[in-house]
Amino acid sequence: MRRCCRAGSSWLTTPRFITNATTHNFHPIFNLCFHRNNTSSPTASYSRRWYNPEQSRRCGPDTVRHWVEGDSLPPGPHQAERFTVVSYNILGDRNVSNHGDLYRNVAPTYLDWDHRRRVICEELLGLNPDIICLQEVDKYYDLLNILEKAGYLGSYKRRTGGSVDGCAMFWKAEKFLLLEGESIEFRQYGLRDNVAQLSVYEMREAQSRRLVVGNIHVLYNPSRGDVKLGQIRFLSSRAHILSEKWGHVPIVLAGDYNSTPQSPIYKFLTSSELNLMLHNRKELSGQRRCHPSQVLGLRREKGILFVPMDRFFNSRWSEEEMNVAIGAPKCHIAMHPLKLNSSYAMVKGSLTTRDNGGEPLATSYHSNFLGTVDYLWYSDGLAPTKVLDTLPINVLKETGGLPCKKFGSDHLSLVSEFVFLEVEGKNEATEDRAIS
Ligand code: KL2
């Protein structure tokens, strides 16, 4: 039985968080943990004609996120072997200016990097996670400066090409030792300028507990599902190789997959394979169905009569696109080697925040998109014990768009606690082989 977490839980910052949640006051937890003396609030004047101070005011008390606990596990040695992971697309500062039209409902103060950096770091430090996976990082050293004072080490991989942002991972030095780190430049495999990171960690207090963590920001282009599939396939395959190398260790894959829970790409992630002949290559990611006016029911889908024809004509795959998606010639089935579950889907939350499959209704909101693209995937050998629920659509709607006063990005952070499980057949010999 799953339940919403209330005061009295023993985990990390939870009791304070829940206490504050119930009093609808988000600030004290952050003040306790970070910038104790920083009481500053945004002071810029709101002069742009579209800014609605009423909307911004409402981005306050309602935007409380609640912890949801998963099925309780029988007591055992694994109780101590828990860790928390955050996946967070923090919205690159350069992307704010490059895609200004997406944030026309947002007060300029809330788009300002100094403000966003403060809010993002307060949130992260308040959560006190063991591993942080960020995407769209273009001010890595700003974040490292703050996070290393809180005991984190970090690694960064910038995208190739003209982009200035990339992926960053931070981990608690006192909790995890980095055994191996790898970064992936998808360009090297003809898969665009996106990047990903993979790290192998060992728990300092339980050295038999090792973990592979991946962090990816998948290509945005809604039409190029073939490239998205190729990138995800490649990341899974590298994660699998690292997992085998270090003794069949469990895997967490965090990131922004630029694909929705209703999409064929999501199905590919959960079922480990996808028959491409059954899908329109331009509709693999589901992104096109997430315009806020569609999601909020303000507008009917345009040209609905023509959709079937459109799908028919676009469903043909060229040999090259098949190759990009699958990585092997003359094959229609894309495959990846992992057995993955999504932590939010496995720890069901409030019906106001989740879809039928348990995924958040939205992890990202701006003028052109309201939906879910971020995930925390995990393999056998782990179980999610709690997740930080996202926000109901009506609450997001009231913000008028992200970022807002309390949330420093156009995405929400995803946060999950995991526990290591005993895996049948795991023995010392396997571990010894991995070390040698
Ligand atoms: O969807 V994102 O935002 O994960 O939140 O990933 C990309 C988009 C990010 C990096 O490429 O920049 C955003 N329209 C809207 N957003 C865009 C576009 C676009 N044409 N191009 C890039 N992004």
Side-chain angles (χ1 to χ4, degrees):
M1 167 121 71
R2 292 175 167 101
R3 60 199 158 90
C4 188
C5 184
R6 292 281 158 199
S9 164
S10 60
W11 179 78
L12 296 171
T13 59
T14 302
R16 277 177 284 156
F17 205 135
I18 297 303
T19 304
N20 292 325
T22 51
T23 57
H24 280 218
N25 182 352
F26 207 57
H27 289 290
I29 181 172
F30 295 146
N31 292 343
L32 278 169
C33 304
F34 178 62
H35 282 191
R36 237 171 235 273
N37 301 323
N38 188 345
T39 52
S40 67
S41 55
T43 52
S45 66
Y46 307 135
S47 55
R48 282 160 78 164
R49 65 189 151 71
W50 36 257
Y51 173 62
N52 176 353
E54 182 60 20
Q55 252 175 5
S56 164
R57 199 180 54 75
R58 277 186 265 137
C59 189
D62 293 329
T63 49
V64 174
R65 296 180 61 184
H66 300 272
W67 285 100
V68 188
E69 291 192 345
D71 292 333
S72 51
L73 294 162
H78 53 257
Q79 288 298 321
E81 296 166 358
R82 293 176 181 227
F83 61 92
T84 45
V85 184
V86 165
S87 181
Y88 196 6
N89 178 326
I90 61 166
L91 175 58
D93 189 37
R94 180 73 68 89
N95 278 343
V96 172
S97 33
N98 283 354
H99 304 290
D101 54 317
L102 303 179
Y103 311 104
R104 55 180 182 268
N105 295 329
V106 178
T109 313
Y110 302 148
L111 294 174
D112 177 66
W113 171 245
D114 287 340
H115 170 80
R116 296 199 302 110
R117 179 192 53 205
R118 186 172 61 80
V119 172
I120 288 165
C121 287
E122 283 178 359
E123 180 177 347
L124 290 174
L125 295 177
L127 291 165
N128 196 30
D130 298 311
I131 296 168
I132 302 171
C133 299
L134 304 180
Q135 305 87 39
E136 280 198 41
V137 176
D138 57 8
K139 308 271 187 190
Y140 172 68
Y141 289 101
D142 279 12
L143 301 176
L144 184 65
N145 270 339
I146 294 167
L147 291 175
E148 70 184 358
K149 291 188 182 82
Y152 290 91
L153 294 173
S155 70
Y156 180 60
K157 178 62 196 168
R158 185 177 154 167
R159 290 169 67 188
T160 54
S163 306
V164 293
D165 67 290
C167 292
M169 294 176 81
F170 299 91
W171 63 98
K172 273 273 176 70
E174 66 175 21
K175 180 121 175 184
F176 283 110
L177 171 70
L178 179 70
L179 296 175
E180 184 172 354
E182 176 177 321
S183 47
I184 298 171
E185 287 185 356
F186 289 109
R187 168 183 265 188
Q188 290 178 20
Y189 313 96
L191 294 168
R192 301 298 180 93
D193 283 316
N194 303 80
V195 294
Q197 298 174 293
L198 283 164
S199 300
V200 187
Y201 298 112
E202 182 173 85
M203 250 186 172
R204 288 192 187 273
E205 290 193 356
Q207 288 177 6
S208 63
R209 295 309 197 182
R210 300 193 193 118
L211 175 73
V212 173
V213 182
N215 180 28
I216 186 170
H217 188 184
V218 169
L219 178 75
Y220 164 74
N221 190 337
S223 305
R224 295 308 303 267
D226 55 329
V227 177
K228 292 175 201 258
L229 274 177
Q231 292 179 349
I232 295 167
R233 210 172 31 75
F234 195 83
L235 176 72
S236 320
S237 146
R238 292 302 311 169
H240 182 64
I241 289 167
L242 279 178
S243 163
E244 295 288 295
K245 175 178 172 185
W246 289 97
H248 308 286
V249 300
I251 298 168
V252 171
L253 295 184
D256 175 346
Y257 287 73
N258 267 314
S259 308
T260 70
Q262 293 73 36
S263 68
I265 288 179
Y266 183 91
K267 191 164 173 271
F268 171 68
L269 277 151
T270 52
S271 64
S272 309
E273 62 176 45
L274 190 73
N275 182 347
L276 298 189
M277 295 315 283
L278 302 179
H279 300 282
N280 179 341
R281 66 186 168 79
K282 291 197 170 180
E283 303 283 346
L284 285 179
S285 74
Q287 285 157 295
R288 288 190 215 279
R289 294 159 184 272
C290 292
H291 192 277
S293 57
Q294 279 171 285
V295 178
L296 298 171
L298 305 177
R299 187 182 78 178
R300 280 176 183 279
E301 207 175 330
K302 250 192 194 168
I304 197 140
L305 285 176
F306 298 103
V307 167
M309 286 298 268
D310 174 62
R311 283 190 189 147
F312 176 77
F313 285 118
N314 284 326
S315 63
R316 278 169 299 186
W317 288 73
S318 72
E319 202 166 316
E320 193 199 331
E321 287 154 354
M322 278 283 178
N323 235 332
V324 165
I326 292 171
K330 298 188 175 26
C331 178
H332 297 152
I333 315 279
M335 289 198 272
H336 74 75
L338 305 178
K339 190 170 168 296
L340 296 172
N341 280 305
S342 160
S343 55
Y344 277 72
M346 298 308 280
V347 182
K348 303 277 191 280
S350 154
L351 286 176
T352 63
T353 62
R354 309 295 188 91
D355 69 14
N356 291 338
E359 289 292 357
L361 288 166
T363 62
S364 178
Y365 181 29
H366 55 58
S367 299
N368 277 351
F369 188 87
L370 174 56
T372 291
V373 287
D374 304 280
Y375 304 94
L376 280 167
W377 300 98
Y378 67 93
S379 72
D380 283 350
L382 295 174
T385 45
K386 62 173 81 173
V387 298
L388 185 60
D389 217 351
T390 48
L391 293 170
I393 292 290
N394 68 308
V395 171
L396 283 172
K397 184 182 166 192
E398 280 186 34
T399 69
L402 300 176
C404 67
K405 189 175 181 182
K406 281 183 186 162
F407 299 108
S409 170
D410 57 350
H411 290 244
L412 297 175
S413 59
L414 294 192
V415 193
S416 179
E417 183 193 60
F418 295 95
V419 64
F420 283 97
L421 299 176
E422 297 304 328
V423 178
E424 274 176 48
K426 187 171 184 275
N427 57 36
E428 294 293 324
T430 322
E431 284 170 16
D432 290 342
R433 271 201 305 279
I435 298 166
S436 59

